[in-house]
PDB file of all heavy atoms in Angstrom:
ATOM      1  N   TRP Z  55      -0.653   9.306  11.598  1.00  0.00           N
ATOM      2  CA  TRP Z  55      -0.056  10.601  11.874  1.00  0.00           C
ATOM      3  C   TRP Z  55       1.108  10.450  12.846  1.00  0.00           C
ATOM      4  O   TRP Z  55       1.206   9.474  13.589  1.00  0.00           O
ATOM      5  CB  TRP Z  55      -1.093  11.578  12.413  1.00  0.00           C
ATOM      6  CG  TRP Z  55      -1.894  11.050  13.573  1.00  0.00           C
ATOM      7  CD1 TRP Z  55      -3.050  10.332  13.506  1.00  0.00           C
ATOM      8  CD2 TRP Z  55      -1.584  11.174  14.961  1.00  0.00           C
ATOM      9  NE1 TRP Z  55      -3.483   9.997  14.761  1.00  0.00           N
ATOM     10  CE2 TRP Z  55      -2.599  10.513  15.679  1.00  0.00           C
ATOM     11  CE3 TRP Z  55      -0.548  11.779  15.667  1.00  0.00           C
ATOM     12  CZ2 TRP Z  55      -2.610  10.453  17.059  1.00  0.00           C
ATOM     13  CZ3 TRP Z  55      -0.561  11.714  17.043  1.00  0.00           C
ATOM     14  CH2 TRP Z  55      -1.589  11.063  17.727  1.00  0.00           C
ATOM     15  N   HIS Z  56       1.981  11.441  12.776  1.00  0.00           N
ATOM     16  CA  HIS Z  56       3.180  11.431  13.618  1.00  0.00           C
ATOM     17  C   HIS Z  56       3.469  12.866  14.056  1.00  0.00           C
ATOM     18  O   HIS Z  56       3.537  13.766  13.216  1.00  0.00           O
ATOM     19  CB  HIS Z  56       4.360  10.870  12.828  1.00  0.00           C
ATOM     20  CG  HIS Z  56       5.624  10.758  13.606  1.00  0.00           C
ATOM     21  ND1 HIS Z  56       5.813   9.815  14.580  1.00  0.00           N
ATOM     22  CD2 HIS Z  56       6.762  11.481  13.556  1.00  0.00           C
ATOM     23  CE1 HIS Z  56       7.030   9.948  15.089  1.00  0.00           C
ATOM     24  NE2 HIS Z  56       7.623  10.957  14.491  1.00  0.00           N
ATOM     25  N   VAL Z  57       3.632  13.054  15.350  1.00  0.00           N
ATOM     26  CA  VAL Z  57       3.963  14.375  15.873  1.00  0.00           C
ATOM     27  C   VAL Z  57       5.462  14.594  15.728  1.00  0.00           C
ATOM     28  O   VAL Z  57       6.267  13.775  16.173  1.00  0.00           O
ATOM     29  CB  VAL Z  57       3.547  14.499  17.355  1.00  0.00           C
ATOM     30  CG1 VAL Z  57       4.011  15.827  17.936  1.00  0.00           C
ATOM     31  CG2 VAL Z  57       2.041  14.340  17.500  1.00  0.00           C
ATOM     32  N   ALA Z  58       5.819  15.698  15.071  1.00  0.00           N
ATOM     33  CA  ALA Z  58       7.230  16.054  14.911  1.00  0.00           C
ATOM     34  C   ALA Z  58       7.358  17.560  14.783  1.00  0.00           C
ATOM     35  O   ALA Z  58       6.549  18.200  14.113  1.00  0.00           O
ATOM     36  CB  ALA Z  58       7.818  15.378  13.678  1.00  0.00           C
ATOM     37  N   ASP Z  59       8.369  18.098  15.418  1.00  0.00           N
ATOM     38  CA  ASP Z  59       8.710  19.504  15.267  1.00  0.00           C
ATOM     39  C   ASP Z  59       9.878  19.563  14.311  1.00  0.00           C
ATOM     40  O   ASP Z  59      10.997  19.175  14.652  1.00  0.00           O
ATOM     41  CB  ASP Z  59       9.075  20.122  16.613  1.00  0.00           C
ATOM     42  CG  ASP Z  59       9.354  21.612  16.525  1.00  0.00           C
ATOM     43  OD1 ASP Z  59       9.453  22.152  15.390  1.00  0.00           O
ATOM     44  OD2 ASP Z  59       9.485  22.250  17.586  1.00  0.00           O
ATOM     45  N   LEU Z  60       9.636  20.006  13.100  1.00  0.00           N
ATOM     46  CA  LEU Z  60      10.678  19.998  12.078  1.00  0.00           C
ATOM     47  C   LEU Z  60      11.768  21.032  12.326  1.00  0.00           C
ATOM     48  O   LEU Z  60      12.748  21.074  11.586  1.00  0.00           O
ATOM     49  CB  LEU Z  60      10.060  20.153  10.690  1.00  0.00           C
ATOM     50  CG  LEU Z  60       9.156  18.991  10.280  1.00  0.00           C
ATOM     51  CD1 LEU Z  60       8.628  19.183   8.871  1.00  0.00           C
ATOM     52  CD2 LEU Z  60       9.845  17.650  10.408  1.00  0.00           C
ATOM     53  N   LEU Z  61      11.639  21.833  13.384  1.00  0.00           N
ATOM     54  CA  LEU Z  61      12.751  22.689  13.800  1.00  0.00           C
ATOM     55  C   LEU Z  61      13.847  21.868  14.483  1.00  0.00           C
ATOM     56  O   LEU Z  61      14.976  22.326  14.611  1.00  0.00           O
ATOM     57  CB  LEU Z  61      12.260  23.808  14.729  1.00  0.00           C
ATOM     58  CG  LEU Z  61      11.500  24.937  14.042  1.00  0.00           C
ATOM     59  CD1 LEU Z  61      10.892  25.881  15.073  1.00  0.00           C
ATOM     60  CD2 LEU Z  61      12.380  25.687  13.066  1.00  0.00           C
ATOM     61  N   ASP Z  62      13.520  20.676  14.905  1.00  0.00           N
ATOM     62  CA  ASP Z  62      14.505  19.743  15.468  1.00  0.00           C
ATOM     63  C   ASP Z  62      15.403  19.277  14.326  1.00  0.00           C
ATOM     64  O   ASP Z  62      14.921  18.782  13.311  1.00  0.00           O
ATOM     65  CB  ASP Z  62      13.768  18.559  16.096  1.00  0.00           C
ATOM     66  CG  ASP Z  62      14.686  17.450  16.581  1.00  0.00           C
ATOM     67  OD1 ASP Z  62      15.915  17.509  16.390  1.00  0.00           O
ATOM     68  OD2 ASP Z  62      14.145  16.481  17.152  1.00  0.00           O
ATOM     69  N   HIS Z  63      16.710  19.429  14.480  1.00  0.00           N
ATOM     70  CA  HIS Z  63      17.663  19.084  13.413  1.00  0.00           C
ATOM     71  C   HIS Z  63      17.622  17.610  13.014  1.00  0.00           C
ATOM     72  O   HIS Z  63      18.071  17.254  11.926  1.00  0.00           O
ATOM     73  CB  HIS Z  63      19.092  19.481  13.810  1.00  0.00           C
ATOM     74  CG  HIS Z  63      19.313  20.954  13.768  1.00  0.00           C
ATOM     75  ND1 HIS Z  63      19.543  21.645  12.605  1.00  0.00           N
ATOM     76  CD2 HIS Z  63      19.310  21.879  14.752  1.00  0.00           C
ATOM     77  CE1 HIS Z  63      19.680  22.929  12.863  1.00  0.00           C
ATOM     78  NE2 HIS Z  63      19.542  23.095  14.163  1.00  0.00           N
ATOM     79  N   ASN Z  64      17.101  16.756  13.869  1.00  0.00           N
ATOM     80  CA  ASN Z  64      17.024  15.322  13.547  1.00  0.00           C
ATOM     81  C   ASN Z  64      15.614  14.860  13.217  1.00  0.00           C
ATOM     82  O   ASN Z  64      15.364  13.657  13.129  1.00  0.00           O
ATOM     83  CB  ASN Z  64      17.581  14.497  14.721  1.00  0.00           C
ATOM     84  CG  ASN Z  64      19.065  14.704  14.877  1.00  0.00           C
ATOM     85  OD1 ASN Z  64      19.812  14.631  13.913  1.00  0.00           O
ATOM     86  ND2 ASN Z  64      19.492  15.002  16.088  1.00  0.00           N
ATOM     87  N   ALA Z  65      14.698  15.790  13.031  1.00  0.00           N
ATOM     88  CA  ALA Z  65      13.304  15.428  12.781  1.00  0.00           C
ATOM     89  C   ALA Z  65      13.146  14.550  11.548  1.00  0.00           C
ATOM     90  O   ALA Z  65      12.353  13.609  11.543  1.00  0.00           O
ATOM     91  CB  ALA Z  65      12.441  16.677  12.657  1.00  0.00           C
ATOM     92  N   HIS Z  66      13.905  14.837  10.497  1.00  0.00           N
ATOM     93  CA  HIS Z  66      13.797  14.032   9.268  1.00  0.00           C
ATOM     94  C   HIS Z  66      14.127  12.570   9.539  1.00  0.00           C
ATOM     95  O   HIS Z  66      13.459  11.675   9.023  1.00  0.00           O
ATOM     96  CB  HIS Z  66      14.694  14.611   8.167  1.00  0.00           C
ATOM     97  CG  HIS Z  66      16.145  14.620   8.496  1.00  0.00           C
ATOM     98  ND1 HIS Z  66      16.690  15.406   9.496  1.00  0.00           N
ATOM     99  CD2 HIS Z  66      17.167  13.922   7.968  1.00  0.00           C
ATOM    100  CE1 HIS Z  66      17.991  15.188   9.556  1.00  0.00           C
ATOM    101  NE2 HIS Z  66      18.307  14.294   8.637  1.00  0.00           N
ATOM    102  N   LYS Z  67      15.123  12.329  10.361  1.00  0.00           N
ATOM    103  CA  LYS Z  67      15.496  10.948  10.714  1.00  0.00           C
ATOM    104  C   LYS Z  67      14.388  10.301  11.546  1.00  0.00           C
ATOM    105  O   LYS Z  67      14.067   9.122  11.350  1.00  0.00           O
ATOM    106  CB  LYS Z  67      16.806  10.931  11.500  1.00  0.00           C
ATOM    107  CG  LYS Z  67      18.008  11.387  10.709  1.00  0.00           C
ATOM    108  CD  LYS Z  67      18.512  10.281   9.853  1.00  0.00           C
ATOM    109  CE  LYS Z  67      19.810  10.686   9.165  1.00  0.00           C
ATOM    110  NZ  LYS Z  67      20.104   9.829   8.043  1.00  0.00           N
ATOM    111  N   LYS Z  68      13.829  11.062  12.469  1.00  0.00           N
ATOM    112  CA  LYS Z  68      12.757  10.538  13.318  1.00  0.00           C
ATOM    113  C   LYS Z  68      11.516  10.216  12.487  1.00  0.00           C
ATOM    114  O   LYS Z  68      10.888   9.172  12.679  1.00  0.00           O
ATOM    115  CB  LYS Z  68      12.419  11.533  14.428  1.00  0.00           C
ATOM    116  CG  LYS Z  68      13.549  11.700  15.435  1.00  0.00           C
ATOM    117  CD  LYS Z  68      13.237  12.791  16.440  1.00  0.00           C
ATOM    118  CE  LYS Z  68      14.413  13.013  17.376  1.00  0.00           C
ATOM    119  NZ  LYS Z  68      14.193  14.153  18.280  1.00  0.00           N
ATOM    120  N   VAL Z  69      11.150  11.106  11.571  1.00  0.00           N
ATOM    121  CA  VAL Z  69       9.960  10.884  10.740  1.00  0.00           C
ATOM    122  C   VAL Z  69      10.143   9.651   9.866  1.00  0.00           C
ATOM    123  O   VAL Z  69       9.296   8.755   9.836  1.00  0.00           O
ATOM    124  CB  VAL Z  69       9.632  12.129   9.875  1.00  0.00           C
ATOM    125  CG1 VAL Z  69       8.579  11.801   8.827  1.00  0.00           C
ATOM    126  CG2 VAL Z  69       9.180  13.293  10.753  1.00  0.00           C
ATOM    127  N   PHE Z  70      11.267   9.565   9.171  1.00  0.00           N
ATOM    128  CA  PHE Z  70      11.461   8.417   8.286  1.00  0.00           C
ATOM    129  C   PHE Z  70      11.819   7.144   9.060  1.00  0.00           C
ATOM    130  O   PHE Z  70      11.609   6.039   8.565  1.00  0.00           O
ATOM    131  CB  PHE Z  70      12.458   8.736   7.169  1.00  0.00           C
ATOM    132  CG  PHE Z  70      11.801   9.530   6.072  1.00  0.00           C
ATOM    133  CD1 PHE Z  70      11.852  10.907   6.062  1.00  0.00           C
ATOM    134  CD2 PHE Z  70      11.084   8.887   5.078  1.00  0.00           C
ATOM    135  CE1 PHE Z  70      11.214  11.643   5.069  1.00  0.00           C
ATOM    136  CE2 PHE Z  70      10.435   9.605   4.084  1.00  0.00           C
ATOM    137  CZ  PHE Z  70      10.505  10.982   4.072  1.00  0.00           C
ATOM    138  N   GLY Z  71      12.295   7.290  10.298  1.00  0.00           N
ATOM    139  CA  GLY Z  71      12.458   6.128  11.175  1.00  0.00           C
ATOM    140  C   GLY Z  71      11.099   5.558  11.535  1.00  0.00           C
ATOM    141  O   GLY Z  71      10.899   4.336  11.550  1.00  0.00           O
ATOM    142  N   TRP Z  72      10.151   6.427  11.844  1.00  0.00           N
ATOM    143  CA  TRP Z  72       8.768   6.022  12.118  1.00  0.00           C
ATOM    144  C   TRP Z  72       8.164   5.342  10.893  1.00  0.00           C
ATOM    145  O   TRP Z  72       7.519   4.300  11.022  1.00  0.00           O
ATOM    146  CB  TRP Z  72       7.957   7.254  12.531  1.00  0.00           C
ATOM    147  CG  TRP Z  72       6.484   7.059  12.595  1.00  0.00           C
ATOM    148  CD1 TRP Z  72       5.783   6.385  13.554  1.00  0.00           C
ATOM    149  CD2 TRP Z  72       5.509   7.548  11.670  1.00  0.00           C
ATOM    150  NE1 TRP Z  72       4.426   6.430  13.281  1.00  0.00           N
ATOM    151  CE2 TRP Z  72       4.239   7.148  12.124  1.00  0.00           C
ATOM    152  CE3 TRP Z  72       5.591   8.303  10.503  1.00  0.00           C
ATOM    153  CZ2 TRP Z  72       3.064   7.465  11.455  1.00  0.00           C
ATOM    154  CZ3 TRP Z  72       4.420   8.624   9.834  1.00  0.00           C
ATOM    155  CH2 TRP Z  72       3.180   8.198  10.308  1.00  0.00           C
ATOM    156  N   VAL Z  73       8.390   5.912   9.710  1.00  0.00           N
ATOM    157  CA  VAL Z  73       7.896   5.321   8.458  1.00  0.00           C
ATOM    158  C   VAL Z  73       8.441   3.906   8.297  1.00  0.00           C
ATOM    159  O   VAL Z  73       7.693   2.963   8.005  1.00  0.00           O
ATOM    160  CB  VAL Z  73       8.281   6.209   7.242  1.00  0.00           C
ATOM    161  CG1 VAL Z  73       8.093   5.462   5.929  1.00  0.00           C
ATOM    162  CG2 VAL Z  73       7.482   7.506   7.248  1.00  0.00           C
ATOM    163  N   ALA Z  74       9.740   3.742   8.499  1.00  0.00           N
ATOM    164  CA  ALA Z  74      10.370   2.417   8.352  1.00  0.00           C
ATOM    165  C   ALA Z  74       9.863   1.444   9.406  1.00  0.00           C
ATOM    166  O   ALA Z  74       9.567   0.285   9.106  1.00  0.00           O
ATOM    167  CB  ALA Z  74      11.895   2.554   8.444  1.00  0.00           C
ATOM    168  N   GLU Z  75       9.750   1.922  10.649  1.00  0.00           N
ATOM    169  CA  GLU Z  75       9.270   1.076  11.748  1.00  0.00           C
ATOM    170  C   GLU Z  75       7.864   0.542  11.470  1.00  0.00           C
ATOM    171  O   GLU Z  75       7.550  -0.610  11.767  1.00  0.00           O
ATOM    172  CB  GLU Z  75       9.279   1.909  13.033  1.00  0.00           C
ATOM    173  CG  GLU Z  75       8.804   1.190  14.259  1.00  0.00           C
ATOM    174  CD  GLU Z  75       8.795   2.129  15.460  1.00  0.00           C
ATOM    175  OE1 GLU Z  75       9.877   2.643  15.817  1.00  0.00           O
ATOM    176  OE2 GLU Z  75       7.702   2.359  16.026  1.00  0.00           O
ATOM    177  N   LYS Z  76       7.023   1.377  10.897  1.00  0.00           N
ATOM    178  CA  LYS Z  76       5.648   0.987  10.584  1.00  0.00           C
ATOM    179  C   LYS Z  76       5.542   0.215   9.264  1.00  0.00           C
ATOM    180  O   LYS Z  76       4.485  -0.340   8.956  1.00  0.00           O
ATOM    181  CB  LYS Z  76       4.749   2.231  10.503  1.00  0.00           C
ATOM    182  CG  LYS Z  76       4.590   2.962  11.816  1.00  0.00           C
ATOM    183  CD  LYS Z  76       3.554   2.287  12.656  1.00  0.00           C
ATOM    184  CE  LYS Z  76       3.051   3.204  13.751  1.00  0.00           C
ATOM    185  NZ  LYS Z  76       1.739   2.838  14.210  1.00  0.00           N
ATOM    186  N   GLY Z  77       6.622   0.206   8.483  1.00  0.00           N
ATOM    187  CA  GLY Z  77       6.619  -0.504   7.209  1.00  0.00           C
ATOM    188  C   GLY Z  77       5.821   0.192   6.117  1.00  0.00           C
ATOM    189  O   GLY Z  77       5.348  -0.455   5.175  1.00  0.00           O
ATOM    190  N   TYR Z  78       5.693   1.516   6.204  1.00  0.00           N
ATOM    191  CA  TYR Z  78       4.941   2.261   5.201  1.00  0.00           C
ATOM    192  C   TYR Z  78       5.755   2.446   3.925  1.00  0.00           C
ATOM    193  O   TYR Z  78       6.957   2.702   3.978  1.00  0.00           O
ATOM    194  CB  TYR Z  78       4.534   3.635   5.736  1.00  0.00           C
ATOM    195  CG  TYR Z  78       3.524   3.589   6.853  1.00  0.00           C
ATOM    196  CD1 TYR Z  78       3.704   4.334   7.999  1.00  0.00           C
ATOM    197  CD2 TYR Z  78       2.377   2.812   6.749  1.00  0.00           C
ATOM    198  CE1 TYR Z  78       2.771   4.313   9.033  1.00  0.00           C
ATOM    199  CE2 TYR Z  78       1.441   2.772   7.780  1.00  0.00           C
ATOM    200  CZ  TYR Z  78       1.648   3.527   8.903  1.00  0.00           C
ATOM    201  OH  TYR Z  78       0.730   3.495   9.923  1.00  0.00           O
ATOM    202  N   ASN Z  79       5.087   2.339   2.791  1.00  0.00           N
ATOM    203  CA  ASN Z  79       5.709   2.568   1.490  1.00  0.00           C
ATOM    204  C   ASN Z  79       5.332   3.980   1.043  1.00  0.00           C
ATOM    205  O   ASN Z  79       4.252   4.202   0.511  1.00  0.00           O
ATOM    206  CB  ASN Z  79       5.219   1.520   0.482  1.00  0.00           C
ATOM    207  CG  ASN Z  79       5.788   1.738  -0.904  1.00  0.00           C
ATOM    208  OD1 ASN Z  79       6.681   2.555  -1.115  1.00  0.00           O
ATOM    209  ND2 ASN Z  79       5.248   1.016  -1.863  1.00  0.00           N
ATOM    210  N   VAL Z  80       6.223   4.932   1.269  1.00  0.00           N
ATOM    211  CA  VAL Z  80       5.964   6.321   0.910  1.00  0.00           C
ATOM    212  C   VAL Z  80       6.449   6.560  -0.511  1.00  0.00           C
ATOM    213  O   VAL Z  80       7.635   6.401  -0.800  1.00  0.00           O
ATOM    214  CB  VAL Z  80       6.662   7.297   1.889  1.00  0.00           C
ATOM    215  CG1 VAL Z  80       6.482   8.738   1.448  1.00  0.00           C
ATOM    216  CG2 VAL Z  80       6.135   7.105   3.306  1.00  0.00           C
ATOM    217  N   ASN Z  81       5.522   6.917  -1.387  1.00  0.00           N
ATOM    218  CA  ASN Z  81       5.912   7.215  -2.762  1.00  0.00           C
ATOM    219  C   ASN Z  81       5.732   8.690  -3.099  1.00  0.00           C
ATOM    220  O   ASN Z  81       6.058   9.122  -4.193  1.00  0.00           O
ATOM    221  CB  ASN Z  81       5.138   6.353  -3.764  1.00  0.00           C
ATOM    222  CG  ASN Z  81       3.688   6.762  -3.885  1.00  0.00           C
ATOM    223  OD1 ASN Z  81       3.039   7.080  -2.897  1.00  0.00           O
ATOM    224  ND2 ASN Z  81       3.176   6.753  -5.095  1.00  0.00           N
ATOM    225  N   MET Z  82       5.218   9.469  -2.129  1.00  0.00           N
ATOM    226  CA  MET Z  82       5.065  10.902  -2.357  1.00  0.00           C
ATOM    227  C   MET Z  82       5.307  11.663  -1.071  1.00  0.00           C
ATOM    228  O   MET Z  82       4.786  11.291  -0.018  1.00  0.00           O
ATOM    229  CB  MET Z  82       3.672  11.224  -2.887  1.00  0.00           C
ATOM    230  CG  MET Z  82       3.454  12.685  -3.197  1.00  0.00           C
ATOM    231  SD  MET Z  82       1.845  12.920  -3.999  1.00  0.00           S
ATOM    232  CE  MET Z  82       2.031  14.593  -4.559  1.00  0.00           C
ATOM    233  N   LEU Z  83       6.110  12.722  -1.182  1.00  0.00           N
ATOM    234  CA  LEU Z  83       6.351  13.631  -0.065  1.00  0.00           C
ATOM    235  C   LEU Z  83       5.855  15.014  -0.468  1.00  0.00           C
ATOM    236  O   LEU Z  83       6.298  15.557  -1.481  1.00  0.00           O
ATOM    237  CB  LEU Z  83       7.842  13.713   0.285  1.00  0.00           C
ATOM    238  CG  LEU Z  83       8.243  14.817   1.271  1.00  0.00           C
ATOM    239  CD1 LEU Z  83       7.571  14.639   2.623  1.00  0.00           C
ATOM    240  CD2 LEU Z  83       9.764  14.879   1.419  1.00  0.00           C
ATOM    241  N   ILE Z  84       4.932  15.531   0.317  1.00  0.00           N
ATOM    242  CA  ILE Z  84       4.520  16.927   0.160  1.00  0.00           C
ATOM    243  C   ILE Z  84       5.207  17.683   1.290  1.00  0.00           C
ATOM    244  O   ILE Z  84       4.805  17.623   2.448  1.00  0.00           O
ATOM    245  CB  ILE Z  84       2.989  17.085   0.192  1.00  0.00           C
ATOM    246  CG1 ILE Z  84       2.368  16.313  -0.977  1.00  0.00           C
ATOM    247  CG2 ILE Z  84       2.614  18.581   0.141  1.00  0.00           C
ATOM    248  CD1 ILE Z  84       0.852  16.370  -1.053  1.00  0.00           C
ATOM    249  N   ASN Z  85       6.289  18.339   0.925  1.00  0.00           N
ATOM    250  CA  ASN Z  85       7.180  19.043   1.833  1.00  0.00           C
ATOM    251  C   ASN Z  85       6.598  20.438   2.057  1.00  0.00           C
ATOM    252  O   ASN Z  85       6.994  21.398   1.406  1.00  0.00           O
ATOM    253  CB  ASN Z  85       8.558  19.126   1.145  1.00  0.00           C
ATOM    254  CG  ASN Z  85       9.706  18.840   2.056  1.00  0.00           C
ATOM    255  OD1 ASN Z  85       9.554  18.737   3.266  1.00  0.00           O
ATOM    256  ND2 ASN Z  85      10.879  18.714   1.465  1.00  0.00           N
TER     257      ASN Z  85
END
Side-chain angles (χ1 to χ4, degrees):
W55 51 272
H56 183 72
V57 175
D59 184 350
L60 296 182
L61 285 172
D62 174 356
H63 287 281
N64 292 312
H66 62 293
K67 294 279 186 198
K68 293 174 184 174
V69 169
F70 281 94
W72 169 74
V73 166
E75 180 183 299
K76 295 279 198 156
Y78 292 133
N79 178 9
V80 175
N81 72 320
M82 182 173 192
L83 170 62
I84 298 179
N85 223 350

